[in-house]
Amino acid sequence: MSEGTVIIETIASKVLRGNPLGDPFVRRVPVYLPPDYDASDKRYPVVFVLTGFTGRGTMLLNDAPWEETLPQRMDRLIAQGIVRPMILVMPDCFTRIGGSQ
């Protein structure tokens, strides 16, 4: 089974700069690229995967016993033909009070 790639982008947000909570305006954002992305000239849909309250995008990369990470799940679903290849963006929306920006 082919594997996708996860890259970590660093984003400096003009909107978050100087926010009232003092939250960081520079964020690490994981991006899942489907298998063969680099070898293809296809266009892919982009899906923004938001975590729940107190969550951050990097949490979706954590591996746990008996569970797939999000990239592993996507690789399997793409290989099985259940979903089409797509790009997943996992933003960090965490705030000092745990909420979402």
Side-chain angles (χ1 to χ4, degrees):
M1 172 170 58
S2 295
E3 290 185 3
T5 304
V6 174
I7 59 172
I8 306 290
E9 293 289 341
T10 300
I11 307 295
S13 170
K14 292 177 186 176
V15 174
L16 291 179
R17 187 183 301 266
N19 66 79
L21 294 177
D23 290 330
F25 68 93
V26 176
R27 303 287 177 120
R28 295 177 66 233
V29 179
V31 179
Y32 168 85
L33 303 172
D36 301 323
Y37 175 83
D38 289 330
S40 174
D41 61 353
K42 293 186 222 173
R43 294 175 59 90
Y44 295 92
V46 177
V47 175
F48 288 81
V49 183
L50 303 178
T51 60
F53 188 70
T54 74
R56 295 178 5 186
T58 53
M59 293 170 62
L60 298 168
L61 304 177
N62 292 341
D63 92 309
W66 307 289
E67 292 183 27
E68 297 171 304
T69 64
L70 183 59
Q72 290 168 337
R73 182 172 299 140
M74 285 303 298
D75 290 344
R76 178 178 55 79
L77 293 173
I78 290 168
Q80 293 174 342
I82 295 172
V83 299
R84 65 187 269 197
M86 65 185 75
I87 296 169
L88 300 180
V89 179
M90 299 161 258
D92 176 359
C93 301
F94 191 76
T95 69
R96 299 239 184 250
I97 57 174
S100 176
Q101 292 284 1

